[in-house]
Amino acid sequence: MGLVQAMKGAVGGVLADQWKDFYTVPAGLPSTAALFAAVPQGTNAGRGSNTSGSSNIITNGSKIVVPEGYGLLLFQDGAITAFVAEPGGYEWRSDDLNSQSIFAGDGLVSTFIKQSWERFKFGGQPGSQQAAYFVSLKELPDNRFGTQSEIYWDDGFLNTQVGAVTRGSYTLKIVDPILFVKNFVPASYLQPGQVFDFTDLDNAAASQLFNEVVGSLAPAFSLYTNDPGKGNRITKLQQDSLGFAQSLSAAVEQGYQWKSDRGLAIVKTAIVSIEYDANTRELLKTVQRADALSGSRGNSNLQASVAQGIQSAGENGGAAGLVGVGMASGMFGVGGMQQPATPAVDDPVAKLKKAKEMLDLGLITQGDYDALKAKALGL
């Protein structure tokens, strides 16, 4: 009985697999789907009803449509055999016996007999496995990160250690699909009907990426705030999504080799919030006050403060108060405030020396020089 069932299954499978299929993207995919199997169209407007074909065999002559923003990975017996990065329609051709079809010009008698015999030896099933998988080449959004407690880093602008609790999101991109599949995607996702989604809470591999991003936040903040090209300003973090993404991508590459080992890269970030610890908040207040008192604005503020002090001293302390204000204002070097210059005492020697230089240069006459000399000496 087993012999009959095996032969029946072998012949039936061969007949069903002679039909060409039309493969495309499955319906209802989330926007964050990264990897999924191409599926046969099945029916279209009531036409096409080959439901008995093998799930792991693609018949020669079948067409696979690659949409914009996706690549196509081809598998034969578990190994990647080809990758297509350009959108368009492609025809499947394979030398594998199980893919041969009379509708693809592979012969009639030999195709049936050889396939039936091979499948009979495997209990009616094909003796090989073929698959086509779509991989997203787009930016994959909504990958979130967040810290439950403060992270700390050495800040180049504040010149000290800074701490904060932060949360946000980033977009991820698969820059090398072959590395991604070979080195990162679990085998359980290389099955028909499975979808690898980075935002899936049940995806253990995606959870690992989340933990690695959180572990890379402190180095990323340090890289950003210590980069002279970024102005060393911590306050620019939330305004520079691309710049911080580069720092975060460099940090995860340095710590976990995302790009070189897994074919993954962080493209953009959006920091939703940064809540600094108490010490950092005090430091930032000091920096804000220093910024406000720098340049011409600081000079104006200082002049106004001195003027107010002179007025108060005149009302309360008389001349002694004014002397105190003068000493205090003389001590300030910030803001560029200039004190009135004290007129120099007349120096007749200096005047005569200057007049002699002008006479030697021909700028004045001998008479002019004599007149200046007489005036300087009080003659």
Side-chain angles (χ1 to χ4, degrees), residues 32-34 140-145 170 172 180 184-186 188-189 195-214 258 262 264:
T32 50
L140 299 169
D142 205 30
N143 300 281
R144 301 179 184 274
F145 64 81
Y170 61 92
L172 194 62
F180 173 65
F184 188 70
V185 176
S188 59
Y189 287 96
V195 176
F196 187 97
D197 189 341
F198 288 107
T199 64
D200 184 0
L201 296 178
D202 296 326
N203 187 339
S207 298
Q208 176 65 27
L209 293 181
F210 170 84
N211 294 332
E212 292 175 1
V213 168
V214 172
W258 274 29
R262 301 169 177 172
L264 297 172

Side-chain angles (χ1 to χ4, degrees), residues 75-144:
F75 289 78
Q76 175 73 40
D77 296 330
I80 298 175
T81 57
F83 173 68
V84 176
E86 296 296 325
Y90 295 86
E91 182 179 293
W92 175 276
R93 297 296 305 185
S94 173
D95 293 333
D96 188 276
L97 176 64
N98 292 283
S99 290
Q100 295 183 5
S101 168
I102 59 174
F103 300 118
D106 294 324
L108 177 61
V109 177
S110 61
T111 296
F112 275 118
I113 295 176
K114 290 180 180 179
Q115 286 189 30
S116 298
W117 175 244
E118 288 299 319
R119 295 189 187 198
F120 171 73
K121 292 189 292 186
F122 288 94
Q125 302 180 53
S128 61
Q129 186 182 54
Q130 298 162 340
Y133 281 82
F134 290 113
V135 59
S136 178
L137 303 179
K138 304 177 182 180
E139 288 185 35
L140 299 169
D142 205 30
N143 300 281
R144 301 179 184 274

Side-chain angles (χ1 to χ4, degrees), residues 26-67:
L29 280 174
S31 61
T32 50
L35 181 75
F36 45 88
V39 295
Q41 186 70 28
T43 61
N44 182 17
R47 294 183 296 275
S49 57
N50 180 26
T51 59
S52 301
S54 302
S55 60
N56 58 343
I57 291 297
I58 303 176
T59 304
N60 280 346
S62 295
K63 191 169 185 178
I64 303 178
V65 176
V66 181

Side-chain angles (χ1 to χ4, degrees), residues 152-334:
Y152 293 91
W153 68 93
D154 293 328
D155 188 272
F157 178 70
L158 298 178
N159 197 30
T160 188
Q161 190 179 69
V162 170
V165 175
T166 183
R167 62 187 180 91
S169 63
Y170 61 92
T171 63
L172 194 62
K173 193 168 186 179
I174 301 171
V175 294
D176 191 325
I178 296 177
L179 277 181
F180 173 65
V181 172
K182 279 190 170 183
N183 296 343
F184 188 70
V185 176
S188 59
Y189 287 96
L190 297 177
Q191 301 292 332
Q194 296 295 315
V195 176
F196 187 97
D197 189 341
F198 288 107
T199 64
D200 184 0
L201 296 178
D202 296 326
N203 187 339
S207 298
Q208 176 65 27
L209 293 181
F210 170 84
N211 294 332
E212 292 175 1
V213 168
V214 172
S216 301
L217 285 174
F221 279 117
S222 181
L223 284 172
Y224 187 93
T225 57
N226 286 280
D227 182 358
K230 303 292 192 303
N232 297 127
R233 297 305 293 259
I234 191 175
T235 52
K236 289 185 177 181
L237 278 169
Q238 290 175 277
Q239 307 167 16
D240 188 6
S241 62
L242 289 177
F244 181 67
Q246 292 171 356
S247 298
L248 184 56
S249 185
V252 297
E253 175 63 20
Q254 182 177 357
Y256 303 100
Q257 293 76 51
W258 274 29
K259 189 172 184 179
S260 56
D261 282 357
R262 301 169 177 172
L264 297 172
I266 292 174
V267 182
K268 295 185 181 70
T269 57
I271 299 178
V272 178
S273 68
I274 302 178
E275 300 174 10
Y276 300 106
D277 62 8
N279 292 334
T280 304
R281 289 197 297 271
E282 288 300 318
L283 281 172
L284 288 173
K285 288 180 182 178
T286 303
V287 170
Q288 288 174 343
R289 285 194 293 267
D291 286 346
L293 293 175
S294 64
S296 59
R297 180 183 297 177
N299 191 33
S300 300
N301 289 339
L302 185 56
Q303 289 178 1
S305 299
V306 172
Q308 184 178 3
I310 292 173
Q311 181 179 358
S312 299
E315 294 173 353
N316 301 323
L322 289 173
V323 171
V325 171
M327 293 177 62
S329 62
M331 293 171 63
F332 286 104
V334 296

